[in-house]
Amino acid sequence: MLAKVLSAATIGIDALLIKVEVDVASKGFPAFNIVGLPDKSVDEAKERVRAAIVNAGYDMPDTRITVNLAPADIPKVGSSFDLPIAVGILAASGVIGREMLTDSLFVGELSLEGTVRDVLGIVSIAVLARDKNVKRLFVPASSSPETSLVDEVQVFPLPTLVDLILFANGSKIIAPFEKKPIHEKTYNAKQFFFEEVRGQETAKRGLEVAAAGFHNIHLKGPPGTGKTFLSRAFPSILPPLEKQEILEVTKIYSAAGLLKGQSFVFNRPFRSPHHTTSKIGLIGGGSIPQPGEISLAHRGVLFLDEFPEFSRSTLEALRQPLEDGEVLISRARSNLIFPCRFVLLAASNPCPCGYLGHPKKACHCLPGAVLKYRKKLSGPLLDRIDINIDVAPVEESKLADDRLGEPSRTIGARVESAFEKQKMRLKKAGILTNSQMTPADIKNYCHMTLEAGNLLKTAISRLSLSARSYFKTIKVAQTISDLGKNDRIETSHIAEALQYRASDY
């Protein structure tokens, strides 16, 4: 007898529909074979499925069993096929009715006693089920909260294989999982806030503009000026994730196995890799391609502290993802695209010792050492940074002042208001933030006064702005205008945006 069961495989962060074809022959020597390019973890499903069925109190067919995972030309990896293989064997043997298989998709790992265990990528699988018009999705009970963002599919949580068999035979009712509402933005108890920062008003303003328009920003200054503190406080002023953004980020974290008991990710990610991180660790890849730090920072922040201490080849690999918002990982077996639309927040010292230009401490670096240090950051990479801020040492009077500064919640409210304004303006373009605008979008949506246009034209020649710098200046000026609730870009907005372009690095 032949049974066909729908399942899915997660490849990268997306899911692919897999048809599990199970043939339980009426003749032939006892055997259990899995074909369709299974790896070792899939091939070992034979023993897990056999033990789970027997320990559930049912007989394993004592004949030839052949399982085909179609399409057969795509490598299959992982333990998520245990449950559909077991369901296929039970259906082909007549233990459960075939009507159970109609418009249903099964995924899950089986323990030897028949418990249905978690697998990676449940969110992507739920999205696939919705897109393929599959009505019912059977998943491990502990993974079912991850499907809360996908409304069009009925999700049935399975504690054990026995529960599924009893449900299929009408002896037990399994209620569909009740989707949980999305939580509001929350703050970590260990999170930093802008009101705790002494002084540094210029840096705070630059970070506010970066948050409102999702612009890349570089903080440069001597040690101890608060660059890291400011960077750690940056997430506290970011706007909350939209529902579609939550789904995008949760898909990545689910596929990477980083949800850590959460139903979904509802705060913008903040990733801070060490400067010894490899290129693959930052960009993504591996023999079985996995998302890197830039994809884990999707719709959030990638904080690179000690910016020039990263290897030059690793930093240069950021150039294309910063421009495109996605990265293509090419391997012999497959090509995968990982999303990576993030804010690059970089912090660096002006020289190896850190005190070049310090008003009170002398720099002891040789000119050659300073030049070598700065050469790690190439011109094309720096040209992709929208906002450059020099973070000077804090004055003694401000450092000793116990009064709190402007709260993160107040700054965040302005940021969210500007974010909503640009979202509505750019709705037809299909983008969310000013930083995503193309030259065509800038022409359509950015309107400046005659005086502002003249100032920008003057700056092109005097500051030797590249074409990219020219358009980035307009994008930043538009964000500044949105923060001020203006309808057009004015001279003061262009002037402030040009101030952020200037950098002697």
Side-chain angles (χ1 to χ4, degrees):
M1 295 292 287
L2 179 67
K4 296 181 181 180
V5 183
L6 291 181
S7 187
T10 304
I11 302 176
I13 64 168
D14 294 316
L16 175 69
L17 190 67
I18 302 293
K19 293 182 179 178
V20 180
E21 302 170 339
V22 181
D23 178 60
V24 178
S26 57
K27 298 179 182 180
F29 291 107
F32 192 165
N33 297 313
I34 300 178
V35 297
L37 288 185
D39 78 336
K40 186 64 176 176
S41 61
V42 178
D43 192 58
E44 289 176 348
K46 294 183 291 189
E47 301 307 322
R48 292 193 295 270
V49 169
R50 185 190 305 275
I53 291 176
V54 172
N55 289 326
Y58 297 87
D59 293 329
M60 186 73 178
D62 190 19
T63 182
R64 186 178 186 84
I65 301 173
T66 305
V67 177
N68 179 43
L69 306 177
D73 60 339
I74 296 175
K76 316 300 187 304
V77 180
S79 57
S80 61
F81 302 109
D82 291 7
L83 181 62
I85 290 173
V87 170
I89 292 173
L90 293 169
S93 304
V95 176
I96 62 176
R98 292 175 181 272
E99 62 277 3
M100 176 70 186
L101 309 183
T102 305
D103 288 332
S104 298
L105 190 149
F106 302 84
V107 63
E109 177 186 329
L110 290 176
S111 71
L112 298 184
E113 63 181 1
T115 302
V116 185
R117 289 175 171 164
D118 292 344
V119 293
L120 302 180
I122 291 294
V123 179
S124 301
I125 293 169
V127 171
L128 174 72
R130 179 196 65 190
D131 295 343
K132 296 295 183 180
N133 295 318
V134 176
K135 304 302 181 185
R136 301 186 299 180
L137 176 61
F138 293 86
V139 301
S142 53
S143 297
S144 52
E146 296 180 28
T147 65
S148 296
L149 296 170
V150 184
D151 299 324
E152 295 84 352
V153 180
Q154 270 195 326
V155 178
F156 291 86
L158 296 177
T160 67
L161 180 61
V162 173
D163 291 308
L164 175 61
I165 296 171
L166 295 176
F167 174 71
N169 293 329
S171 302
K172 183 175 183 177
I173 296 176
I174 298 178
F177 177 74
E178 186 176 346
K179 307 294 173 65
K180 296 181 178 180
I182 299 175
H183 300 288
E184 296 294 326
K185 177 179 177 181
T186 59
Y187 294 99
N188 190 305
K190 297 181 180 179
Q191 189 168 329
F192 299 101
F193 297 94
F194 273 31
E195 57 262 38
E196 300 167 352
V197 180
R198 302 288 189 268
Q200 303 300 6
E201 302 305 325
T202 302
K204 291 179 185 178
R205 171 62 177 175
L207 289 166
E208 179 181 343
V209 174
F214 243 57
H215 300 290
N216 301 320
I217 182 168
H218 180 197
L219 303 178
K220 184 189 70 174
T225 54
K227 302 186 299 296
T228 301
F229 198 113
L230 285 163
S231 301
R232 297 286 180 183
F234 186 60
S236 67
I237 65 170
L238 290 173
L241 286 166
E242 301 285 319
K243 185 175 181 179
Q244 180 58 35
E245 291 179 306
I246 292 175
L247 182 58
E248 292 174 14
V249 177
T250 303
K251 278 179 63 176
I252 297 171
Y253 277 70
S254 176
L258 296 176
L259 284 180
K260 297 179 180 178
Q262 300 180 77
S263 302
F264 40 79
V265 179
F266 47 84
N267 283 336
R268 294 192 181 273
F270 182 89
R271 304 294 298 185
S272 179
H274 192 261
H275 63 260
T276 56
T277 299
S278 67
K279 187 191 301 185
I280 290 178
L282 189 67
I283 304 301
S287 57
I288 301 174
Q290 294 292 317
E293 290 292 336
I294 62 173
S295 295
L296 296 174
H298 181 60
R299 300 297 182 185
V301 182
L302 178 68
F303 174 45
L304 300 184
D305 203 2
E306 306 298 340
F307 196 29
E309 296 298 338
F310 286 80
S311 71
R312 185 182 174 103
S313 63
T314 299
L315 292 178
E316 291 303 299
L318 286 172
R319 285 160 57 174
Q320 179 261 336
L322 283 172
E323 201 74 15
D324 299 340
E326 62 183 26
V327 59
L328 172 65
I329 305 295
S330 297
R331 292 295 179 266
R333 289 185 173 184
S334 63
N335 294 327
L336 299 176
I337 294 179
F338 293 126
C340 55
R341 183 72 63 184
F342 59 90
V343 173
L344 174 62
L345 173 54
S348 66
N349 297 320
C351 66
C353 78
Y355 294 106
L356 182 65
H358 195 285
K360 295 184 179 180
K361 295 184 179 180
C363 171
H364 300 288
C365 300
L366 296 175
V370 175
L371 183 61
K372 181 179 179 181
Y373 183 75
R374 293 186 173 185
K375 268 190 166 182
K376 289 186 177 181
L377 304 180
S378 68
L381 177 61
L382 291 175
D383 203 37
R384 285 167 167 79
I385 294 176
D386 307 346
I387 299 173
N388 296 275
I389 301 290
D390 287 318
V391 185
V394 184
E395 299 174 7
E396 291 85 347
S397 58
K398 291 184 178 179
L399 195 60
D401 190 349
D402 292 333
R403 290 176 296 179
L404 295 177
E406 188 176 23
S408 285
R409 291 185 184 273
T410 304
I411 301 173
R414 290 198 299 268
V415 168
E416 188 171 350
S417 176
F419 196 80
E420 288 296 323
K421 184 175 182 179
Q422 62 195 284
K423 186 179 72 173
M424 294 300 296
R425 182 177 61 247
L426 301 171
K427 188 175 182 179
K428 290 184 179 179
I431 55 179
L432 294 174
T433 61
N434 290 330
S435 64
Q436 293 179 255
M437 288 192 294
T438 64
D441 295 327
I442 291 174
K443 182 179 180 181
N444 292 332
Y445 300 109
C446 297
H447 308 290
M448 64 179 71
T449 63
L450 180 62
E451 294 80 5
N454 291 335
L455 176 59
L456 186 57
K457 289 177 183 177
T458 303
I460 293 174
S461 58
R462 292 193 178 182
L463 298 179
S464 300
L465 295 180
S466 66
R468 181 184 288 113
S469 295
Y470 169 78
F471 289 117
K472 282 188 175 293
T473 299
I474 298 176
K475 293 178 189 180
V476 174
Q478 182 63 63
T479 300
I480 297 169
S481 175
D482 291 338
L483 282 168
K485 299 182 179 180
N486 299 107
D487 294 326
R488 293 190 300 173
I489 299 173
E490 299 178 358
T491 307
S492 60
H493 306 147
I494 291 291
E496 184 177 351
L498 288 170
Q499 173 187 318
Y500 295 140
R501 294 302 306 169
S503 175
D504 61 353
Y505 217 95

